[in-house]
Amino acid sequence: MKSRRFHKLVTLLLVCTPLTITALSADDASPEYSRKGADTCIGCHDEQATLDLFHTRHGVPSDPRSPFGRGQLQCEACHGPGGDHAGRVRRGEERPPVIRFGKDSETDVLVQNGKCLGCHEESADFAWHGSGHDDNQVGCADCHQVHNAHDPVRATASQPEVCFDCHQQQHAQSLKPYSHPFDEGKMDCSGCHNPHGTGTTNTLFVRQTLNDTCYECHAEKRGPYLWEHAPVVEDCSSCHEPHGSNNPGMVSLRGPMLCQTCHSQAGHPSIPREADGLADAAPSPYLLARNCLNCHTQVHGSNHPSGSKLMR
Ligand code: HEC
Ligand code: HEC
Ligand code: HEC
Ligand code: HEC
Ligand code: HEC
Ligand code: HEC
Ligand code: HEC
Ligand code: HEC
Ligand code: HEC
Ligand code: HEC
């Protein structure tokens, strides 16, 4: 009996991967686990979507760390003990459940995530506990599809959709006329954010600070500059909206208004000299073309010996 079922799994696996696996023996697991591991499960769950797991890193029998590695619990490494679930169910009785994953699951998220973290917590870039996602009980399976050989959240082109499911505000921003190229599949959220937590910033930046994150791809903005512009050194997002904006260059406000959020309207640049409006009053040269950038072109900093006013 055992060897017949085992044979069946091997056959299935041969279709999927050219490897054989060692099924669990009864001694490897406590009694609540099914006696024949995946062979038992696959007896009923033989949908292609389920079996696709064998095309992923989790279905690699030769990797001792994987759920299908020697001595591991196979399907039950994630779904928990399934002995009762797999057993016979009398008419009118409910089949005892196993751990289910994802939004509609009745299993507590902490239990779901605990299964995954049991193997993944040690990994170097994981600081899950205390991250915004952990605190808000987001499940690993809210983002990941582990039975899918092409997990959408791990591909640049399909990742933003997964995130937008919950992050509507960033979705709306990304649809504005000027944004990082999310649509074109050239950029994803994990270019700037590590969704697993970083332990250092509360916005999940991939680098220590916001600016360091931007410098990853916009290295030329790091300087050093002979003449720095203070807000640039401090925080790129004091002028830019990284998820998208209605203004060219993804700036938060247009023209002089952007600069005037910090630079007084009363002083040099902003007020036309003949403000009381006589007909022949010349418009302020500082507002010609209505943009401070016409003169102060080097808004990110200047290396010109006489660039102190960021004009060259
Ligand atoms: C005798 C047939 C049978 C066996 C063996 C069996 N299951 Fe199931 N399983 C079912 C049925 C029927 C359902 C759906 C109805 C229910 O949940 O009562 C189900 C539901 C599930 C679900 C939830 C799926 C969903 O769509 O909600 C998971 C996950 C699952 N089984 C995993 C397993 C695992 C892991 C094993 C092996 C330990 C296993 N099953 C063995 C019959 C079986
Ligand atoms: C029994 C241990 C084990 C469990 C349980 C486990 N994983 Fe894994 N996982 C692995 C191993 C081993 C790899 C391959 C890692 C490698 O090659 O470096 C992996 C790889 C991954 C990958 C990367 C896949 C790829 O193609 O590179 C993701 C994503 C992942 N696991 C998510 C999860 C999630 C989500 C859960 C819970 C539902 C989970 N894992 C449960 C051991 C496990
Ligand atoms: C299942 C819903 C869900 C999904 C999917 C999701 N998030 Fe979140 N995310 C949240 C919740 C809830 C919070 C905490 C409250 C908030 O800030 O909105 C959060 C917070 C964040 C934060 C702020 C950091 C913090 O610590 O508060 C960032 C950045 C973030 N998510 C990025 C992402 C990225 C990138 C993805 C896709 C890879 C993603 N999220 C997918 C629910 C989700
Ligand atoms: C908010 C969405 C989100 C959540 C929640 C999430 N992940 Fe991920 N995960 C990602 C993204 C995005 C990547 C790809 C990262 C990249 O491209 O650098 C990833 C990659 C991975 C990888 C592969 C790492 C590698 O270096 O290749 C593993 C393993 C993994 N996740 C496990 C988990 C586990 C375990 C949990 C739950 C504790 C979890 N993830 C929760 C979005 C998420
Ligand atoms: C690495 C952890 C892991 C392993 C191993 C695993 N599953 Fe799953 N399973 C999940 C997660 C997470 C989901 C939720 C859907 C998804 O991520 O693709 C799921 C979903 C399912 C579903 C239900 C699909 C649905 O619509 O809800 C069934 C049935 C299932 N698994 C059966 C199995 C069987 C049978 C095996 C062994 C051959 C197995 N699983 C191995 C993590 C795992
Ligand atoms: C170019 C870098 C960059 C990319 C790419 C990026 N973000 Fe952000 N994200 C930021 C910065 C900077 C902040 C903090 C300041 C802000 O919101 O302006 C932030 C903040 C967030 C927050 C927290 C907002 C809050 O109010 O606390 C969420 C949620 C978020 N991002 C989700 C996403 C999602 C989803 C994607 C993918 C579509 C994404 N981000 C892509 C840079 C980025
Ligand atoms: C993962 C790489 C990456 C990171 C990190 C990154 N960017 Fe970008 N950025 C891009 C790409 C790609 C473009 C589009 C370039 C193009 O279309 O020529 C871009 C374009 C821009 C533009 C110009 C938009 C325009 O219309 O000309 C601004 C402004 C910008 N990024 C600001 C930021 C800020 C601020 C940060 C940090 C919060 C940041 N970027 C982080 C990749 C990145
Ligand atoms: C004082 C406001 C301000 C700050 C702070 C700022 N920028 Fe800008 N940035 C601008 C303006 C204004 C433009 C030009 C917009 C336009 O095209 O009209 C611009 C354009 C850009 C561009 C596209 C054109 C180019 O020069 O490459 C990138 C990329 C960029 N900024 C990145 C950054 C990064 C990275 C930081 C942080 C290190 C930063 N900016 C901080 C105001 C600012
Ligand atoms: C977030 C606030 C902020 C914004 C927005 C801002 N600046 Fe500044 N700017 C400063 C600060 C702070 C200094 C340094 C003042 C000092 O050192 O006395 C400065 C310095 C300058 C200087 C050099 C002054 C000097 O005496 O050397 C110029 C020119 C300048 N900014 C132009 C602009 C322009 C043009 C814009 C719009 C694109 C702009 N700033 C937007 C805060 C800002
Ligand atoms: C027609 C060119 C021109 C335009 C347009 C212009 N500036 Fe200036 N700006 C100058 C010159 C020239 C100086 C140097 C004045 C000096 O050294 O006395 C200067 C100096 C400054 C300074 C340094 C402090 C000071 O008053 O000496 C700041 C800050 C500044 N401009 C901000 C702005 C802002 C904000 C705007 C847009 C509202 C703007 N400028 C538009 C030419 C211009």
Side-chain angles (χ1 to χ4, degrees):
M1 181 67 176
K2 178 174 177 175
S3 65
R4 192 179 62 84
R5 291 250 181 116
F6 179 47
H7 182 73
K8 182 174 176 188
L9 176 57
V10 171
T11 317
L12 277 164
L13 282 170
L14 283 173
V15 177
C16 309
T17 73
L19 293 160
T20 56
I21 66 156
T22 313
L24 280 186
S25 81
D27 312 335
D28 288 325
S30 69
E32 318 140 82
Y33 288 92
S34 68
R35 291 189 50 225
K36 300 193 183 77
D39 289 322
T40 312
C41 312
I42 286 172
C44 295
H45 297 288
D46 58 357
E47 310 83 0
Q48 192 56 47
T50 305
L51 300 178
D52 278 349
L53 184 90
F54 294 110
H55 294 297
T56 73
R57 302 287 274 276
H58 287 129
V60 180
S62 59
D63 180 347
R65 307 162 304 157
S66 113
F68 281 82
R70 198 182 164 78
Q72 298 277 8
L73 292 162
Q74 305 186 341
C75 312
E76 292 160 283
C78 293
H79 289 289
D84 294 345
H85 170 86
R88 203 165 275 143
V89 176
R90 290 217 187 85
R91 194 183 283 272
E93 268 180 24
E94 285 212 5
R95 184 172 292 282
V98 288
I99 292 176
R100 285 189 56 202
F101 293 90
K103 275 202 264 294
D104 304 328
S105 170
E106 279 150 28
T107 310
D108 190 296
V109 174
L110 296 178
V111 173
Q112 295 178 44
N113 289 357
K115 283 292 168 191
C116 313
L117 288 166
C119 291
H120 288 292
E121 203 156 20
E122 302 293 304
S123 141
D125 70 338
F126 247 80
W128 179 256
H129 289 297
S131 68
H133 285 138
D134 179 35
D135 286 348
N136 287 278
Q137 306 227 336
V138 174
C140 311
D142 285 332
C143 288
H144 290 290
Q145 296 182 14
V146 305
H147 280 267
N148 188 335
H150 306 283
D151 183 0
V153 83
R154 299 184 66 243
T156 296
S158 46
Q159 182 193 93
E161 276 317 307
V162 177
C163 310
F164 290 153
D165 208 28
C166 296
H167 294 296
Q168 298 291 339
Q169 194 191 330
Q170 283 71 25
H171 188 197
Q173 289 171 321
S174 77
L175 297 173
K176 292 181 176 183
Y178 303 93
S179 87
H180 274 102
F182 300 121
D183 294 1
E184 297 123 81
K186 286 193 213 137
M187 179 129 171
D188 56 23
C189 315
S190 53
C192 289
H193 299 292
N194 178 345
H196 300 139
T198 57
T200 51
T201 65
N202 56 10
T203 322
L204 307 175
F205 291 129
V206 293
R207 290 289 169 269
Q208 197 82 13
T209 65
L210 189 157
N211 273 30
D212 283 343
T213 300
C214 308
Y215 299 147
E216 274 290 291
C217 302
H218 302 290
E220 78 289 353
K221 298 285 186 287
R222 186 198 285 274
Y225 293 109
L226 197 52
W227 308 101
E228 291 179 335
H229 191 192
V232 176
V233 182
E234 269 158 34
D235 182 354
C236 309
S237 74
S238 53
C239 295
H240 291 289
E241 291 187 355
H243 307 111
S245 131
N246 288 324
N247 309 312
M250 274 189 272
V251 288
S252 40
L253 291 166
R254 260 175 212 271
M257 276 93 76
L258 175 68
C259 313
Q260 288 168 343
T261 54
C262 296
H263 293 287
S264 162
Q265 297 217 17
H268 138 60
S270 19
I271 301 191
R273 279 179 297 187
E274 317 293 327
D276 36 273
L278 294 175
D280 61 343
S284 162
Y286 296 126
L287 287 176
L288 276 180
R290 285 144 83 237
N291 201 337
C292 319
L293 294 174
N294 290 348
C295 298
H296 302 289
T297 52
Q298 303 306 109
V299 68
H300 298 105
S302 166
N303 277 323
H304 194 279
S306 51
S308 73
K309 308 297 179 206
L310 309 177
M311 292 197 284
R312 51 183 103 193

